[in-house]
Amino acid sequence: MEVFETLAIKIPNAVLIDGVTEHSVDEVIHFLEQYGDIGRKVTIDSPESEFNNMLVAEYASGLSLTRLSQLLPHTFISDSGDKFHIESLSEIYASKVSGSKTNTYLADLKRIAKLSGRDYAEVLSEGMTQIRRSLAELNPETPVVAKPEDSKPPDSVFPPSLPASLPSKSPSATSGAEAQGGERHAASIPAADLNPPEVQRYVVEHVVRGGDSLLHAFHRLRAFSGKVPRPIQETDYDTWRSGVELALKDPSISDLQRTRLIRDSLLPPACNIVKHLSLDTPPEVYMKQLDSAYGTVQDGEELYAKFMDTFQDSGEKPSAYLQRLQVALQHAAKRGGVLEKDMDNRLLNQFCRGCWDNNLISELQLKQKKHNPPKFAELLLLLRTEEDREAAKTLRMKQHLGTTKQKATTNAQFANTGEETNLCTALTTLTKQLSQQMAAIQQQLAALTAQQCNVKPPVAACPASKPYGPKKVSKNPKPSVSSPKPGFCFRCGEDGHIKPQCENAPNSALVSAKRKQFDNKQMWQKQKSSTSGDLN
């Protein structure tokens, strides 16, 4: 603390700033000048001091620091994102110096007790009595009542930490006192000396203040900068604004503290929008400025139309779809697109309209509840309960049918192995027979062609030529068109397997879409076959 005395700084009018660099000094000073004129600023250059490289800003008047003390300690964030910690120098000086002085005073009392041969408790008791008298002179309304000392003090008189620090009497001192024949009574320290009323009041004030600061710590807002794309550690504007609205409705927080919460949670470029506003500006003005830059600009009708165009996505659970609808409906209600009393009815109608799981809607009888729609929380609980029941049933089915299905597949594999061997042998024999028959037919065709051309047929088979004569044409030839097959599972909608072999979760939305596509394909195939028949 000698460094402040050497620099001749007025400690009651000064603040200590940690983390300041050459480029950010002007920003911090500009912030501090909002509360009063600064007489001088000094950078501590003392490697031996714990306050080395810190900045001391001294106000010209103590009233300026009084206005600023409501925010201290304060963390200032510059435009570049650097943070600087600002504290009152008087608080730091008092805590450091008073602690060191108290330790020095107690050490002196121990040394006096040791040199005088008296008990340390007696010396400490006398010092506490003098402190009580000094406090009584400062507060005359508090009477000083002398309490008689007991011949034998109780064990609970001394604080728990005091006996460990008391010096034990040496055997020589005890024997010397007994030799003189004088009886020495242990000194008693009254409870009022150990815990004066002034000290109790000081402790209570700090406890209450600490509890109040702890209460306001729960209102800390998440960071918001307005950058696009949004950083992972930050929140979007709607979520951040909901936290601000909660702080605005809390009657235990003052407007100054609300403004401080808003400013501390903003990062560039969002903080630049409200940088010109002072701390005395109401928080509603801050929110109006930020709403103009980051708030929703769509009106209620557009948001409600967007809500009506929100449908269930592929693979999305009905409960997740309902939550998405609720968020879109809340945005429309805030902008006046729908009345608050009609929100439950509109939500249920759109869910029945945009959810593709008709079995779920029928099971819960949601269409019958349109006249008396449930609340959002009740409807969400119904959907989650039904989804959990369906998932548990599917799991039980897999556990029950999994072993049987695996055994059947193994037996089929062994059976197919023998059948494939026999089939290969039969196909080889049939191929040879067909080759011989084709060779004989080619020879007969060549001979027939040679007779018609009056040419002696060659010994070797000549290449087959087109036979003369009218061809037989059927009157109503029917094109050989095979009917299309679905090719997908009627349970999950995926290709490559059928419903009895499906182990996936049900997906009624995908199955419905593929059914519709398959029906269109069949209809097109029928039209094509009828058109080709008419042309022939």
Side-chain angles (χ1 to χ4, degrees):
M1 293 299 169
E2 292 79 5
V3 64
F4 301 113
E5 298 175 0
T6 304
L7 296 174
I9 294 176
K10 295 180 181 179
I11 295 176
N13 298 358
V15 293
L16 185 65
I17 308 166
D18 186 14
V20 177
T21 60
E22 296 180 358
H23 304 286
S24 59
V25 173
D26 295 337
E27 297 184 27
V28 179
I29 296 301
H30 178 70
F31 169 74
L32 295 176
E33 285 179 347
Q34 297 178 4
Y35 301 92
D37 297 333
I38 295 179
R40 62 169 180 161
K41 51 185 179 180
V42 180
T43 301
I44 300 176
D45 187 9
S46 178
E48 298 81 7
S49 175
E50 60 179 319
F51 306 102
N52 187 33
N53 295 330
M54 294 187 183
L55 178 65
V56 178
E58 180 182 324
Y59 282 102
S61 174
L63 297 176
S64 302
L65 186 59
T66 303
R67 291 191 292 266
L68 180 63
S69 60
Q70 299 180 2
L71 297 178
L72 298 180
H74 176 68
T75 301
F76 175 76
I77 303 176
S78 64
D79 295 340
S80 58
D82 299 331
K83 296 184 178 181
F84 311 101
H85 192 63
I86 305 174
E87 290 187 75
S88 174
L89 184 57
S90 60
E91 295 287 341
I92 299 175
Y93 187 85
S95 61
K96 297 285 185 181
V97 174
S98 61
S100 62
K101 295 297 182 183
T102 302
N103 294 333
T104 304
Y105 176 67
L106 293 177
D108 292 341
L109 290 180
K110 290 181 180 180
R111 186 172 63 255
I112 292 172
K114 183 177 181 180
L115 294 177
S116 62
R118 298 177 60 189
D119 188 13
Y120 174 62
E122 292 181 359
V123 179
L124 182 61
S125 177
E126 292 178 358
M128 295 296 293
T129 303
Q130 293 178 2
I131 293 175
R132 285 186 62 244
R133 291 174 181 173
S134 300
L135 292 175
E137 293 176 358
L138 295 176
N139 299 319
E141 66 277 3
T142 305
V144 179
V145 180
K147 295 185 178 181
E149 298 182 356
D150 298 332
S151 60
K152 193 173 184 179
D155 296 337
S156 61
V157 169
F158 297 97
S161 60
L162 190 56
S165 61
L166 292 178
S168 60
K169 289 185 179 182
S170 61
S172 60
T174 306
S175 61
E178 292 178 355
Q180 294 178 358
E183 293 183 359
R184 196 166 192 174
H185 300 281
S188 63
I189 303 177
D193 292 343
L194 294 175
N195 298 312
E198 292 76 11
V199 176
Q200 295 178 7
R201 183 170 64 254
Y202 180 80
V203 172
V204 170
E205 290 177 356
H206 278 68
V207 170
V208 173
R209 185 181 302 175
D212 184 65
S213 62
L214 182 62
L215 175 64
H216 296 329
F218 290 108
H219 292 284
R220 186 176 298 276
L221 302 175
R222 294 182 60 184
F224 173 74
S225 64
K227 294 180 181 178
V228 178
R230 178 171 58 88
I232 300 177
Q233 67 276 9
E234 296 180 8
T235 182
D236 59 293
Y237 182 73
D238 292 333
T239 306
W240 178 85
R241 200 184 194 289
S242 62
V244 175
E245 291 176 354
L246 180 62
L248 293 177
K249 295 178 181 179
D250 192 347
S252 62
I253 305 178
S254 62
D255 288 345
L256 183 61
Q257 292 171 337
R258 292 166 183 164
T259 303
R260 179 182 176 183
L261 285 174
I262 295 174
R263 292 180 68 102
D264 290 345
S265 62
L266 294 177
L267 299 175
C271 65
N272 298 331
I273 298 177
V274 296
K275 184 178 180 181
H276 63 282
L277 300 176
S278 63
L279 291 176
D280 298 335
T281 305
E284 290 78 8
V285 179
Y286 278 82
M287 298 309 301
K288 186 177 180 180
Q289 294 281 344
L290 294 170
D291 287 341
S292 62
Y294 303 105
T296 303
V297 296
Q298 295 177 328
D299 58 2
E301 295 181 357
E302 293 179 356
L303 292 174
Y304 184 72
K306 184 178 179 181
F307 163 76
M308 294 298 294
D309 290 339
T310 303
F311 300 99
Q312 184 181 9
D313 295 334
S314 177
E316 185 180 23
K317 292 184 177 181
S319 59
Y321 171 59
L322 180 66
Q323 297 179 33
R324 203 154 52 87
L325 282 178
Q326 176 69 7
V327 174
L329 185 60
Q330 286 179 349
H331 289 169
K334 287 183 179 180
R335 304 292 292 180
V338 61
L339 297 178
E340 187 175 358
K341 63 180 182 180
D342 298 335
M343 289 183 62
D344 296 333
N345 192 7
R346 302 292 177 85
L347 181 65
L348 181 60
N349 290 338
Q350 180 59 25
F351 179 80
C352 296
R353 178 172 172 263
C355 180
W356 312 122
D357 194 350
N358 295 325
N359 295 331
L360 177 66
I361 297 175
S362 302
E363 183 72 21
L364 298 178
Q365 298 181 357
L366 296 181
K367 292 184 178 180
Q368 288 75 11
K369 298 180 180 179
K370 290 184 178 181
H371 299 288
N372 187 18
K375 298 292 184 181
F376 166 72
E378 298 176 3
L379 181 58
L380 181 61
L381 182 60
L382 287 175
L383 295 178
R384 293 184 65 246
T385 303
E386 186 64 24
E387 290 172 357
D388 184 71
R389 186 183 295 110
E390 185 67 22
K393 184 177 180 180
T394 304
L395 180 61
R396 290 195 302 269
M397 182 185 67
K398 289 182 179 180
Q399 292 176 352
H400 178 71
L401 301 178
T403 307
T404 306
K405 188 175 181 180
Q406 184 177 3
K407 290 182 179 179
T409 304
T410 305
N411 295 334
Q413 289 178 355
F414 286 114
N416 290 337
T417 302
E419 292 178 0
E420 289 178 358
T421 304
N422 299 332
L423 183 61
C424 291
T425 304
L427 288 175
T428 304
T429 305
L430 183 60
T431 303
K432 292 181 180 179
Q433 294 177 359
L434 291 175
S435 299
Q436 295 175 0
Q437 292 178 2
M438 289 295 296
I441 291 173
Q442 288 179 358
Q443 290 180 359
Q444 294 177 5
L445 185 61
L448 181 61
T449 305
Q451 291 177 1
Q452 292 180 355
C453 297
N454 296 324
V455 179
K456 186 177 181 179
V459 179
C462 64
S465 60
K466 296 182 180 179
Y468 296 96
K471 294 183 180 180
K472 296 182 179 180
V473 181
S474 58
K475 296 182 179 180
N476 296 323
K478 296 183 179 180
S480 59
V481 180
S482 60
S483 60
K485 296 182 179 181
F488 63 90
C489 177
F490 287 174
R491 176 181 175 83
C492 66
E494 300 293 337
D495 299 333
H497 63 277
I498 59 178
K499 184 177 181 180
Q501 301 176 355
C502 180
E503 297 181 359
N504 300 328
N507 192 348
S508 58
L510 184 58
V511 171
S512 301
K514 288 198 172 183
R515 278 181 182 273
K516 186 175 180 180
Q517 183 179 2
F518 176 68
D519 294 338
N520 295 336
K521 185 176 180 181
Q522 282 184 329
M523 186 179 298
W524 177 81
Q525 195 75 18
K526 291 180 180 179
Q527 293 177 356
K528 181 179 179 182
S529 59
S530 62
T531 303
S532 59
D534 296 337
L535 293 176
N536 293 331

